[in-house]
Amino acid sequence: MDSSADTPVVYVVSDSIGDTAEFVVKAVASQYDTGRVKMRRVPFVEDREQIHSVFKEAAENKAIIAYTLVVPELRRAMEEEAAAHGDVFTADILGSLIEAFNDVTSQQPVFEPGKVRRLDENYFRRVEAVEFAVKHDDGKDPRGLLKAEVVLIGISRTSKTPLSMYLAHQGLKVANLPLVPEVELPEELFWIDPQKIVGLVIDPYQLRAIRKERLKSLGLEDDANYIAVERIEEELNYAHRVMKKIGCTVFDVSNKAVEEVASRIIQVIKGGQKE
């Protein structure tokens, strides 16, 4: 016996790419013994003629039509074709749920095809950006500097890591690099467009307090050199020289929230302007 004769044919029709309908069809098919289904995807439907052609083929193949259409005109066309082709089974994947949302929220949907996919793309971009920030935090793997959309440089405790993570959650790939007078800078830093680099500086006395609190939180004894104002000023002077050589934008993070500094960085990076 030819088992293919019992395999349902489903036309997946969408005014986007049709992933949602295909996922639902597969989920339903999995509830049957064979789990087999022949799917024929019809994405990016734009007019009634395409819908009419699908119904004609579906009728010839005794197929099911599963659709996710959000544009009202296309939904009406599908419903009218379904009424005219009583022998073709149709499944409106989104319709009843859209109506339920309308009733509960007393709002109308935006009727924008592919919006879920774009939201998913934004989500995965943020995840990728966070992974990138973790991998390239504190000077890890200098090769990442060349792949970053933003490179933060500054001496220890100038908010490089918190800023990197905040910007990553905005979908930006960020690498950060500590500036230490005794440590040679990676050559990759000078291969990057200065527009992508942001230098971070801070008031030396505020930094001293931050460093002292950091040592305390780690249960470490005061490191006289690490928290000495003279040492901090030496580091800041070195950082200023590096930033001047690169020609990058410089932000003073003294008494500023991460969100405030991040907002200014985004303006510079995306706006192509320097302060």
Side-chain angles (χ1 to χ4, degrees):
M1 180 178 177
D2 183 6
S3 60
S4 65
D6 298 323
T7 302
V9 177
V10 180
Y11 284 80
V12 174
V13 181
S14 176
D15 43 17
S16 183
I17 60 176
D19 280 345
T20 301
E22 182 171 318
F23 179 82
V24 172
V25 170
K26 287 180 178 178
V28 172
S30 71
Q31 298 300 310
Y32 294 82
D33 289 338
T34 64
R36 287 194 294 266
V37 62
K38 293 180 181 177
M39 278 190 286
R40 299 178 183 176
R41 192 184 288 207
V42 186
F44 304 115
V45 170
E46 295 181 343
D47 55 49
R48 177 183 292 270
E49 186 58 35
Q50 288 173 281
I51 293 173
H52 178 74
S53 296
V54 170
F55 267 92
K56 185 177 179 181
E57 286 187 34
E60 293 172 354
N61 292 292
K62 297 182 179 179
I64 300 167
I65 296 176
Y67 63 95
T68 51
L69 298 171
V70 297
V71 176
E73 293 78 6
L74 297 178
R75 288 174 57 77
R76 282 195 294 272
M78 180 66 77
E79 291 165 359
E80 290 168 5
E81 289 289 340
H85 296 80
D87 56 337
V88 177
F89 292 96
T90 62
D92 183 356
I93 305 298
L94 298 179
S96 59
L97 193 54
I98 287 176
E99 291 172 4
F101 268 73
N102 289 347
D103 292 339
V104 171
T105 65
S106 299
Q107 298 178 13
Q108 287 296 311
V110 295
F111 299 119
E112 186 177 335
K115 192 161 187 179
V116 169
R117 177 169 53 84
R118 285 193 292 280
L119 289 173
D120 285 345
E121 287 172 354
N122 290 336
Y123 169 77
F124 287 114
R125 177 174 173 79
R126 288 196 299 271
V127 170
E128 184 180 0
V130 170
E131 292 175 347
F132 185 92
V134 171
K135 184 177 180 181
H136 300 97
D137 181 44
D138 205 31
K140 298 174 187 172
D141 190 4
R143 293 171 298 178
L145 298 175
L146 303 176
K147 301 176 184 177
E149 294 171 294
V150 185
V151 175
L152 303 179
I153 60 175
I155 67 175
S156 173
R157 313 313 300 169
T158 49
S159 300
K160 296 186 299 299
T161 296
L163 280 167
S164 293
M165 297 308 298
Y166 187 93
L167 292 168
H169 279 93
Q170 308 305 309
L172 289 169
K173 291 183 178 179
V174 186
N176 73 73
L177 179 71
L179 300 181
V180 183
E182 295 79 15
V183 177
E184 185 177 355
L185 294 169
E187 58 184 3
E188 287 88 351
L189 183 61
F190 300 97
W191 299 347
I192 307 167
D193 180 355
Q195 179 65 45
K196 295 166 55 176
I197 303 174
V198 174
L200 305 174
V201 296
I202 191 171
D203 174 79
Y205 291 94
Q206 183 179 345
L207 181 55
R208 182 180 186 274
I210 292 171
R211 287 187 174 184
K212 194 168 185 177
E213 192 61 32
R214 174 62 173 169
L215 291 176
K216 184 179 177 181
S217 70
L218 295 174
L220 301 175
E221 297 293 332
D222 284 358
D223 183 328
N225 192 47
Y226 183 64
I227 63 173
V229 172
E230 294 79 6
R231 170 61 183 182
I232 290 173
E233 289 179 336
E234 177 189 346
E235 292 180 37
L236 284 170
N237 288 334
Y238 169 72
H240 277 294
R241 290 196 299 272
V242 171
M243 295 167 193
K244 184 177 181 180
K245 181 178 180 180
I246 292 171
C248 64
T249 298
V250 179
F251 286 134
D252 188 334
V253 301
S254 304
N255 300 310
K256 292 184 175 65
V258 167
E259 296 84 355
E260 179 184 352
V261 179
S263 177
R264 295 173 66 196
I265 290 173
I266 291 171
Q267 288 176 5
V268 169
I269 296 299
K270 293 190 174 181
Q273 60 189 19
K274 293 184 181 180
E275 288 199 348

